[in-house]
Amino acid sequence: MKLTTPFTILKQKFNQMDLMRDAMITRKLATERLHEDYRKMYKNHQFAY
């Protein structure tokens, strides 16, 4: 049986915050890679007029 103390509740909340922070960072990195890919595509793209 686990004891539920304020410390265990706080620890659980901190763990959830860490998971959310990691998810936000990885999502940000994915969007940055996407933007870089688009920049490369447009930089290398020759527009025909």
Side-chain angles (χ1 to χ4, degrees), residues 8-45:
T8 56
I9 294 170
L10 274 177
K11 185 177 177 187
Q12 188 177 14
K13 287 189 189 262
F14 282 131
N15 286 341
Q16 289 172 351
M17 285 167 45
D18 287 340
L19 287 174
M20 286 189 282
R21 189 182 309 118
D22 289 342
M24 285 167 41
I25 289 172
T26 54
R27 181 180 296 147
K28 180 179 167 191
L29 289 175
T31 53
E32 283 176 2
R33 279 197 303 267
L34 186 67
H35 289 309
E36 285 176 9
D37 290 344
Y38 275 121
R39 275 191 220 111
K40 285 178 190 171
M41 283 168 48
Y42 280 107
K43 193 169 87 172
N44 295 332
H45 192 267

